[in-house]
Amino acid sequence: MMHTAVGWHVELEFMEDDQHTRAVAMVRLPDGTEVRADGHASRHHTDANQPRVGEEIAGARALNELAMQMLTKAHGEIDDASGRTSHPIHV
């Protein structure tokens, strides 16, 4: 049995100000498709200014949304190939 090594690189970019952090996650698949997702975090005015925490929250939300989009994409490809509606894919 032969194994093929495949790698995906996920990029995360952050835009932030004193109160808000926005993350954009993007993965480019071997077929050239790019999937992008956003995540946001807001700092309550009484919380300490900790940019890393905002990045972690916004980044996690962007990655979660990216994962959901990838599952939806895979589900559609299964259905297209089989000609029927497949069972839901669970996380």
Side-chain angles (χ1 to χ4, degrees), residues 46-65:
T46 60
D47 290 339
N49 189 2
Q50 296 177 290
R52 187 176 59 225
V53 173
E55 290 169 5
E56 291 169 354
I57 293 168
R61 288 174 173 163
L63 290 169
N64 187 57
E65 177 60 27

Side-chain angles (χ1 to χ4, degrees), residues 19-36:
Q19 297 292 118
H20 305 93
T21 303
R22 176 178 179 238
V24 178
M26 191 272 288
V27 63
R28 188 173 296 108
L29 302 176
D31 67 1
T33 304
E34 288 185 0
V35 182
R36 294 176 181 266

Side-chain angles (χ1 to χ4, degrees), residues 57-78:
I57 293 168
R61 288 174 173 163
L63 290 169
N64 187 57
E65 177 60 27
L66 187 68
M68 298 309 294
Q69 289 185 36
M70 295 294 300
L71 285 171
T72 299
K73 181 180 183 306
H75 207 330
E77 291 171 359
I78 291 168

